[in-house]
Amino acid sequence: MSDTTALSEKKPTVKPKSPDKNRPDEKDPDKSPTKKQEKEKFLTLDGFQKFVVDKAKQDIRSIWRAILSCGYDLHYERCACIDTRHAQKSSRKWTLEMDVALVQYINRLCRHLAITPARLHPHEVYLDMSDTADPRVSCLLNVPIESFRLRFALLQSLNTTLETFFLPLVELRQTDMYMHSIAALLQQAKGLIFYDTKVTVMNRVLNATVQRTADHAAPEISLDPLEIVGDCLVRKGNSVEYVTLLSPATERKVWNMSHCSLSGEIRGSENSYFCQAARQLACIPSSQLCVKLASGGDPTYAFNIRFTGEEVHGTSGSFRHFLWQVCKELQSSCLSLLLLCPSSAVNKNKGKYLLTPTPITYAEEQLLHFFGQLLGIAIRADVPLPLDLLPCFWKMLVGEPLDPEADLYEADILTHNYIKKFENVNDEADLEALCAEIASQHLPTESPEYPNKPSCKFTYPTMTAEEVELCENGRHIPVIWENKDIYAAGIRNLRMRELKNQECMTAVRAGLGSIIPLQLLTSLTALEMELRTCGLPFINLEFLKAHTMYQVGLMETDQHIEFFWSALEMFTQEELCKFIKFACNQERIPFTCPCKDGGPDTAHVPPYPMKIAPPDGATGSPDSRYIRVETCMFMIKLPQYSSLEIMLEKLRHAIHYREDPLSG
C-alpha cells in the first residue's frame, strides 16, 4: 500500500489549455488560490488510521460495516464471493446433505451464543478445529469459507421468508394420501429450517389456539404427599391388610377410571402423583388446559397444584415440582408405562426409556393419554421435562420412520448382535456351532430332523421377557441353513414392532393432540421435538449468569457473589441440576429466552431471571446461616459468607438437604 491514498480512485483529467485562457486580462479559475488548495488535499496512511481510530471511538459499528462492505470479515478474511458467476458456481456444489449439516451446525452455534439465526451475521459462521471432530459436519470441512457463508445467507433468507409469509399459510396436517402436498414436501425438506424458525412458528400457533381465557379460573387439583410414602392396602376378599409398598415394573396396574376406585390389589402406583392427577383431570375438558405460553414473573399454567397439609405461596413452584415428580415416577418401578432400555444392561444408553411394548387395558390407555397431555402441558408451560427417552420414541411421535439397523442397535444392542451372528454365518458348520452355543445356554433341545444335534427354535423373548413364537408353530421349527435368514428377519420384525408400539403411541399422540395441534410436529425432527419438550440435560452457567438479577443493593462485584459463582463453577453437572431443582423446583431450565433476542417481546421465559437477594433478618453471624430460596420466584437468599470454602459447604448442604422428603 502506498504512503498516500487518493480520496477518489478516478484521477482528475488534465484539460488542454485553450488560447483564450492565455489572455492576461482574464483570470484563470484553475490558478485561483482556492482551487490550488483543493488539489493539494490528500490523505496519508497514518492519517487514515487516525481517522479510523477516532471514528471507532464514536461509532464502532460504522467501522464494522465498512469492513464488511469491502467483502472482509473481522478476521480480515474475504467473506463474500468475487462476483455473481463465482457465487453461482460455488452454489452448484451444495447438496441436500450439506445444507442439512449446515443447518444443524447453525442450530448448535446459536444455542452456544444464545441468539437466533436471524441475528447471526455470516462472518460469525466460522468452522474451527473443535468442529472438525463432529462427524455431522465432516461434509463441510473442504468448503471454501466464502461459499460456506454465502450458503448460510441463502438459508437465512429462506427461513425469514418461511417464518414470515409461508408457514402461517400452509396446511401442515400429516397425511399418507397426498404425497405431493405442500405439507408432505415440507416434511421432506424440514432439515433446511432452523430450529428457532420452527419454534417461533409453533409459539405463534400455540398462542393463537388458546381456549381458556383470563375470565376462566384455572382448574385446581389436590395431591396428598403422604399417599406416596409408607404402606399401601391390599384387598383380599373382605379383609384389608397392610403390606410393604412394592411395585415391580413387570406387573401391570389395575385402575377403574369410571369409578376412580381400585379393584383386586391396591398397588402403590395408584397413589402416585401421576395417578392422583390423572384421576382428577379426567373430568376436566382438555380445552381448559390449553393456555398461552408461560412468560413473565407470574405465568399462567394449565392447572394449579395444592398439596394437602402444606401451605404454599404462589403457583409456579408447586407446578414445577409436580412435573418433576411425575417424571421421576414414570422412570421408576412405581409405574409400568415406560421400560428401561434393554441396551442399558451393557451400559449403552444407560438410563434411557421407551414405552412398554405390551397389550394395554383401557385404564392403561387412559394413563398413556394423560402422559401425552403432560407433554403438551409442559410445552405450553415451557418447563423442560427431565425425561430420558430413546430417539425411537420421538421419531414415532413426530411421524418419522424407524431405522431397522440404527434404532435397533440403540434400543437393544444384544438382539442386534444376535441377529448379525445369524446373518454373517458362512456355512452350515458355523450355523450348527452357533445353534449349539445358544442351545447350551438354555434347556438342551434336539432337532427332530437332526437328532442328537442341539438347535434353537423359531422363538425369541420380548422386551418384557416373554418368549413368543416368530411364526405359527414356531416352538417346533428348528433353525437350519435354509431358514436362518427368515429366523433373523423374524427377530428383527419382532423388535421393530415393539419399538413402534403403535397401540401405546396412538394413545400418547391422542393426549398430546388434545393440548397442542399435531400439525406442528410435521416440520420438527425427532431431536428438535425432544429439545422442545425436554430441553438440554445440562446447565449453562454463562447463560444462567446472563439471566440473573441482584436485588436490595447487591452487586455482581460483591465478594460473596463472586464466591457464589466460583462455587457453582466447581460443581459437577449433577450438582448443578440439584442446585436448579433446589432453587426453582425443576432440574432443567430453558436454553433460550426472548429477553436477549432483541425482539419487541422482552419478557423473560420462566423461571428466568434468577434473583439473588440478602437473607431475611440480620441476626447471627452470616457464616452460621443457611441458604433459603423462594422457588416460585427463583429467588436465592444468600448470606454474606466470608470464604469460598464456607460457600461451597452451605451450597452442598442445601442441595442435598432438599432431597430429604421430611425436610421443610
Side-chain angles (χ1 to χ4, degrees):
M1 188 173 182
S2 59
D3 292 340
T4 61
T5 303
L7 294 176
S8 175
E9 294 183 359
K10 185 177 180 181
K11 297 182 179 180
T13 305
V14 180
K15 297 182 180 180
K17 293 184 179 180
S18 173
D20 296 338
K21 298 292 182 180
N22 296 330
R23 296 178 182 178
D25 55 336
E26 295 183 7
K27 295 183 178 180
D28 189 349
D30 293 341
K31 294 182 180 181
S32 62
T34 306
K35 190 69 175 178
K36 185 177 181 181
Q37 187 176 4
E38 290 179 357
K39 281 187 176 182
E40 292 177 351
K41 284 186 176 180
F42 59 88
L43 186 63
T44 64
L45 178 59
D46 292 338
F48 176 72
Q49 291 176 341
K50 185 176 184 304
F51 165 76
V52 172
V53 172
D54 292 341
K55 185 67 176 176
K57 294 178 181 178
Q58 302 173 9
D59 184 11
I60 188 63
R61 293 184 180 181
S62 62
I63 305 300
W64 175 67
R65 287 193 295 266
I67 295 175
L68 295 178
S69 64
C70 295
Y72 293 88
D73 61 11
L74 297 184
H75 301 281
Y76 289 100
E77 294 185 10
R78 180 170 291 278
C79 64
C81 294
I82 301 174
D83 52 28
T84 306
R85 289 183 302 174
H86 183 205
Q88 292 176 346
K89 183 179 179 180
S90 63
S91 296
R92 294 192 191 102
K93 299 179 181 179
W94 281 82
T95 63
L96 179 61
E97 178 189 4
M98 296 169 65
D99 284 329
V100 172
L102 178 56
V103 169
Q104 292 176 351
Y105 166 75
I106 295 299
N107 287 337
R108 294 196 302 273
L109 179 62
C110 289
R111 282 198 296 269
H112 174 69
L113 299 176
I115 62 174
T116 61
R119 298 184 61 210
L120 188 67
H121 196 276
H123 86 273
E124 296 177 278
V125 181
Y126 198 89
L127 284 175
D128 54 24
M129 294 302 297
S130 61
D131 298 312
T132 58
D134 191 345
R136 292 172 292 184
V137 299
S138 58
C139 58
L140 305 175
L141 298 180
N142 297 323
V143 178
I145 189 65
E146 60 269 17
S147 177
F148 191 77
R149 290 168 173 171
L150 177 66
R151 198 67 177 185
F152 164 67
L154 175 64
L155 291 172
Q156 192 179 45
S157 176
L158 171 66
N159 277 263
T160 301
T161 304
L162 289 174
E163 177 184 330
T164 309
F165 303 107
F166 187 73
L167 289 179
L169 303 177
V170 176
E171 171 58 67
L172 297 176
R173 184 175 300 140
Q174 290 180 335
T175 175
D176 296 330
M177 185 179 298
Y178 303 104
M179 299 306 297
H180 298 290
S181 65
I182 296 180
L185 297 175
L186 185 65
Q187 189 176 19
Q188 298 176 19
K190 58 185 176 182
L192 303 179
I193 308 177
F194 295 133
Y195 173 75
D196 289 272
T197 302
K198 299 174 183 179
V199 170
T200 300
V201 175
M202 172 183 278
N203 291 347
R204 289 176 183 171
V205 174
L206 291 179
N207 284 331
T209 54
V210 172
Q211 300 187 54
R212 193 185 81 206
T213 62
D215 300 334
H216 296 82
E220 183 176 276
I221 62 175
S222 299
L223 302 177
D224 190 351
L226 295 180
E227 288 191 17
I228 63 173
V229 179
D231 296 331
C232 69
L233 297 175
V234 171
R235 190 179 305 276
K236 295 182 179 179
N238 296 324
S239 63
V240 175
E241 300 178 2
Y242 284 98
V243 297
T244 307
L245 182 109
L246 293 174
S247 299
T250 56
E251 294 183 2
R252 308 301 291 175
K253 311 303 183 290
V254 181
W255 176 36
N256 189 321
M257 288 287 296
S258 59
H259 301 287
C260 295
S261 62
L262 305 177
S263 61
E265 185 178 1
I266 304 178
R267 297 187 176 91
S269 64
E270 309 302 333
N271 300 322
S272 64
Y273 281 161
F274 185 89
C275 290
Q276 288 186 57
R279 285 195 291 267
Q280 298 179 56
L281 291 175
C283 305
I284 297 176
S286 60
S287 60
Q288 294 299 303
L289 307 178
C290 298
V291 296
K292 291 185 65 175
L293 285 168
S295 64
D298 188 20
T300 300
Y301 293 121
F303 51 87
N304 296 333
I305 306 290
R306 185 172 64 85
F307 291 102
T308 304
E310 297 184 9
E311 183 179 356
V312 179
H313 299 283
T315 58
S316 299
S318 56
F319 181 80
R320 293 194 290 259
H321 176 72
F322 163 76
L323 291 181
W324 172 81
Q325 182 66 36
V326 296
C327 290
K328 189 176 179 182
E329 292 172 351
L330 284 166
Q331 298 175 128
S332 69
S333 60
C334 179
L335 296 171
S336 61
L337 300 181
L338 299 181
L339 179 69
L340 190 62
C341 165
S343 290
S344 62
V346 290
N347 291 326
K348 180 174 179 59
N349 287 327
K350 194 171 183 179
K352 294 283 187 178
Y353 288 80
L354 64 143
L355 290 177
T356 304
T358 55
I360 56 175
T361 64
Y362 173 74
E364 290 163 343
E365 182 182 0
Q366 299 305 306
L367 290 178
L368 288 168
H369 184 276
F370 179 61
F371 174 53
Q373 285 186 316
L374 284 180
L375 297 179
I377 288 170
I379 290 175
R380 285 189 177 271
D382 215 347
V383 177
L385 297 177
L387 287 173
D388 292 313
L389 302 172
L390 280 177
C392 61
F393 171 85
W394 303 108
K395 284 185 177 182
M396 292 300 299
L397 197 63
V398 301
E400 287 186 6
L402 297 186
D403 189 328
E405 284 291 332
D407 287 311
L408 177 58
Y409 181 81
E410 294 294 322
D412 191 351
I413 187 174
L414 295 176
T415 297
H416 177 272
N417 294 339
Y418 182 83
I419 293 173
K420 287 299 180 183
K421 288 180 180 179
F422 281 91
E423 292 178 341
N424 297 332
V425 291
N426 298 320
D427 49 38
E428 293 189 38
D430 291 342
L431 178 61
E432 289 181 6
L434 178 60
C435 290
E437 178 186 356
I438 296 171
S440 64
Q441 300 172 4
H442 305 84
L443 292 175
T445 59
E446 290 185 355
S447 170
E449 298 180 6
Y450 304 94
N452 302 324
K453 288 186 179 180
S455 64
C456 49
K457 304 303 174 89
F458 268 66
T459 61
Y460 198 75
T462 64
M463 289 187 181
T464 55
E466 178 185 357
E467 190 170 9
V468 297
E469 294 181 329
L470 299 177
C471 63
E472 186 177 356
N473 202 29
R475 298 184 187 277
H476 304 287
I477 301 177
V479 178
I480 58 178
W481 178 258
E482 288 76 12
N483 63 14
K484 71 175 183 66
D485 292 331
I486 300 176
Y487 175 69
I491 297 175
R492 188 185 299 276
N493 292 335
L494 170 65
R495 278 294 182 265
M496 295 309 296
R497 287 196 303 271
E498 291 182 305
L499 292 180
K500 291 178 181 178
N501 204 353
Q502 293 285 4
E503 188 179 12
C504 294
M505 186 55 65
T506 300
V508 174
R509 283 177 59 87
L512 179 63
S514 67
I515 305 298
I516 67 173
L518 290 181
Q519 297 94 312
L520 296 175
L521 308 185
T522 302
S523 61
L524 292 177
T525 65
L527 177 60
E528 290 166 344
M529 184 61 187
E530 183 180 8
L531 281 175
R532 185 65 180 88
T533 309
C534 301
L536 294 172
F538 61 86
I539 307 300
N540 187 340
L541 268 185
E542 291 298 324
F543 190 76
L544 179 62
K545 194 172 184 179
H547 292 78
T548 298
M549 296 175 57
Y550 304 94
Q551 299 186 329
V552 198
L554 294 183
M555 299 179 65
E556 189 176 357
T557 55
D558 292 345
Q559 187 178 48
H560 72 293
I561 301 296
E562 293 179 348
F563 288 156
F564 172 76
W565 290 112
S566 297
L568 291 185
E569 290 173 358
M570 299 169 66
F571 275 15
T572 63
Q573 276 297 323
E574 181 181 1
E575 289 176 319
L576 285 175
C577 290
K578 288 184 177 181
F579 165 75
I580 294 299
K581 179 64 179 72
F582 165 71
C584 65
N585 263 334
Q586 63 186 73
E587 281 188 358
R588 301 180 184 182
I589 50 180
F591 56 88
T592 57
C593 188
C595 66
K596 292 290 183 181
D597 200 26
D601 181 13
T602 58
H604 285 79
V605 170
Y608 300 123
M610 184 173 76
K611 308 167 190 66
I612 300 181
D616 297 327
T619 59
S621 170
D623 289 346
S624 63
R625 308 187 69 178
Y626 293 101
I627 301 173
R628 293 187 64 252
V629 295
E630 294 185 13
T631 56
C632 290
M633 301 178 62
F634 199 6
M635 178 181 290
I636 302 168
K637 297 184 176 180
L638 193 66
Q640 294 183 351
Y641 297 128
S642 59
S643 67
L644 176 60
E645 290 73 18
I646 297 178
M647 179 68 73
L648 272 170
E649 177 190 351
K650 297 297 184 181
L651 278 172
R652 286 200 168 103
H653 175 81
I655 64 176
H656 293 299
Y657 185 68
R658 178 197 58 78
E659 296 294 335
D660 182 1
L662 300 180
S663 62

